């Protein structure tokens, strides 16, 4: 019989069998019931002027088929490998100083530039959207993100005609991010989209959640949300956005390309090599619900992949 040994960096199957994880988590939450709500908020010091921009007006075009996940569930069950492999990254993530924060725009653009996140927000404005989020580990949540369409950032960047992809890079600072000292990960965290994907209305740059600036564990001060793809496409704490002719090599693809690909569109019919993707555990509830193709956003995004049937669109 073939005994499969885990390599240290693999997401263990147990992360994808949320029954056990979920029950442990509930026990933890139960025993920590007295925990001050404020400790979930995390986040470094934020300028009062920034906080005044929240809550932003909600864009009602984005509706959910399920209740919003309470922050006490989504805010202490996070993937942020820079701060460790456990789901409880909150205390460690608070070491990240998120203000001031500069975003670098480079690659195939009219003129590379840097912009402070506060300036960027003032330039483009903010709105709130209710989005589903489906992790490749088969858990999900529904959250009110605050941010702006990625297409607005693309317009500011003025990409050249040769730009075919957009590449997102997370901060790199081994001194404060213990996960980045683990040598077998291909740091920094990198993700990417095609230009048509980046131009889709759903592709969102996120600066806040639950009506306030992003707490650190969610990827402060700026991340993306690509709700029709597995959650790992939504890179956190981004410092650089580059426009490229070639497809970026992404973090997870670099680590294990047989399990995590570039496209990573949600599809319940295509199992992960080590677990089913047919259903998902909704954070904060006892329910498992069926997973929907493109995480329920088929109408908005299926057209992006016409004629690409030969690609590994769902890994
Ligand atoms: N971005 C960075 N930089 N590092 C990470 O480890 N994890 C990804 C994604 N973005 C990750 C990241 C994964 S696997 C998921 S599911 C989501 O962040 C989790 O987002 P959340 O913690 O806000 O729920």
């Amino acid at each position: 019989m073939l005994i499969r040994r885990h390599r240290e960096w693999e997401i263990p199957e147990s992360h994808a069998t949320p029954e056990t994880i979920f029950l442990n988590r509930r026990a933890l939450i139960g025993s920590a019931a007295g925990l001050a709500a404020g400790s979930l908020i995390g986040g470094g010091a934020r300028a009062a002027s920034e906080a005044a921009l929240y809550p932003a007006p909600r864009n009602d075009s984005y509706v959910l088929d399920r209740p919003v996940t309470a922050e006490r569930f989504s805010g202490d069950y996070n993937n942020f490998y820079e701060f460790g492999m456990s789901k409880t990254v909150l205390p460690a993530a608070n070491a990240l100083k998120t203000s001031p924060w500069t975003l670098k725009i480079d690659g195939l653009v009219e003129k590379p530039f840097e912009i402070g996140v506060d300036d960027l927000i003032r330039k483009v404005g903010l709105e709130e959207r209710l989005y589903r989020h489906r992790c490749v580990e088969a858990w999900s949540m529904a959250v009110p993100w605050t941010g702006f369409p990625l297409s607005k950032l693309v317009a500011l960047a003025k990409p050249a005609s040769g730009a075919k992809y957009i590449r997102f890079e997370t901060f790199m600072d081994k001194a404060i991010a213990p996960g980045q000292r683990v040598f077998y990960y291909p740091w920094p965290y990198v993700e990417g989209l095609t230009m048509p994907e980046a131009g889709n209305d759903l592709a969102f740059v996120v600066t806040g959640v639950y009506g306030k600036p992003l707490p650190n564990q969610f990827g402060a001060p700026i991340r993306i949300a690509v709700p029709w793809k597995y959650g790992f496409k939504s890179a956190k704490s981004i410092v650089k956005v580059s426009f490229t002719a070639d497809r970026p090599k992404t973090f997870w693809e670099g680590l294990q390309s047989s399990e995590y690909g570039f496209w990573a569109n949600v599809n319940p019919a295509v199992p992960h090599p080590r677990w089913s993707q047919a259903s998902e555990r909704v954070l904060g509830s006892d329910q498992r619900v069926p997973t929907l193709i493109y995480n329920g956003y088929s109408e908005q995004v299926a057209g992006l992949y016409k004629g690409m049937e030969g690609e590994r669109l769902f890994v």
Side-chain angles (χ1 to χ4, degrees):
M1 192 170 90
L2 184 73
I3 310 269
R4 197 170 189 297
R5 243 182 351 126
H6 267 299
R7 279 158 288 192
E8 280 177 278
W9 43 261
E10 282 184 335
I11 291 179
E13 281 90 333
S14 59
H15 278 198
T17 0
E19 229 82 47
T20 44
I21 284 266
F22 183 75
L23 292 174
N24 286 341
R25 195 168 165 271
R26 276 176 73 92
L28 242 160
I29 287 163
S31 65
L35 204 73
S39 67
L40 281 184
I41 292 168
R46 296 260 164 61
S49 57
E50 188 199 343
L53 299 168
Y54 299 85
R58 181 171 293 174
N59 181 338
D60 289 321
S61 322
Y62 301 89
V63 288
L64 292 174
D65 60 347
R66 59 190 68 171
V68 166
T69 306
E71 187 182 357
R72 68 181 188 282
F73 297 113
S74 59
D76 82 340
Y77 193 83
N78 302 91
N79 276 332
F80 204 166
Y81 276 62
E82 285 82 347
F83 295 104
M85 276 187 73
S86 91
K87 298 291 186 234
T88 315
V89 295
L90 187 153
N94 278 343
L96 183 65
K97 186 172 177 286
T98 59
S99 179
W101 190 277
T102 304
L103 197 62
K104 192 171 182 176
I105 312 288
D106 70 5
L108 299 173
V109 291
E110 195 180 282
K111 192 169 185 285
F113 62 95
E114 294 190 355
I115 186 166
V117 166
D118 293 353
D119 287 350
L120 177 62
I121 288 174
R122 272 166 224 291
K123 250 192 179 112
V124 296
L126 292 176
E127 63 182 66
E128 184 177 77
R129 294 183 179 185
L130 303 178
Y131 273 8
R132 287 188 296 266
H133 174 102
R134 170 57 158 84
C135 179
V136 74
E137 297 164 353
W139 56 264
S140 68
M141 61 181 184
V143 285
W145 296 124
T146 305
F148 53 89
L150 178 55
S151 59
K152 287 196 179 181
L153 183 61
V154 172
L156 266 186
K158 303 200 181 88
S161 59
K164 300 273 184 292
Y165 299 90
I166 178 165
R167 175 187 184 276
F168 303 93
E169 187 176 310
T170 295
F171 79 91
M172 185 73 203
D173 186 351
K174 284 185 188 177
I176 56 130
Q180 293 183 334
R181 289 175 226 147
V182 182
F183 71 93
Y184 44 77
Y185 289 109
W187 304 112
Y189 198 98
V190 166
E191 260 308 335
L193 297 171
T194 62
M195 292 298 285
E197 287 177 331
N200 186 275
D201 274 348
L202 281 171
F204 204 49
V205 179
V206 173
T207 61
V209 70
Y210 297 104
K212 58 180 188 244
L214 270 185
N216 278 19
Q217 72 274 21
F218 282 101
I222 190 161
R223 66 175 287 173
I224 52 166
V226 194
W228 70 96
K229 292 178 179 279
Y230 289 115
F232 66 85
K233 295 294 294 181
S234 297
K236 295 180 167 184
S237 304
I238 295 167
V239 289
K240 192 158 80 162
V241 176
S242 310
F243 292 80
T244 64
D246 299 323
R247 193 157 110 177
K249 181 86 161 179
T250 65
F251 177 84
W252 287 104
E253 210 184 358
L255 200 53
Q256 178 75 318
S257 63
S258 60
E259 299 193 349
Y260 312 101
F262 174 79
W263 297 102
N265 293 308
V266 174
N267 188 341
V270 180
H272 181 279
R274 291 182 285 129
W275 57 79
S276 164
Q277 295 290 23
S279 67
E280 64 207 47
R281 170 75 67 190
V282 182
L283 290 188
S285 98
D286 288 324
Q287 272 191 320
R288 259 200 113 76
V289 299
T291 287
L292 303 172
I293 184 149
Y294 295 112
N295 198 22
Y297 296 105
S298 196
E299 209 177 291
Q300 294 94 323
V301 301
L304 289 169
Y305 308 104
K306 286 251 155 64
M308 294 176 58
E309 288 72 20
E311 296 268 348
R312 288 167 78 217
L313 289 173
F314 304 105
V315 174

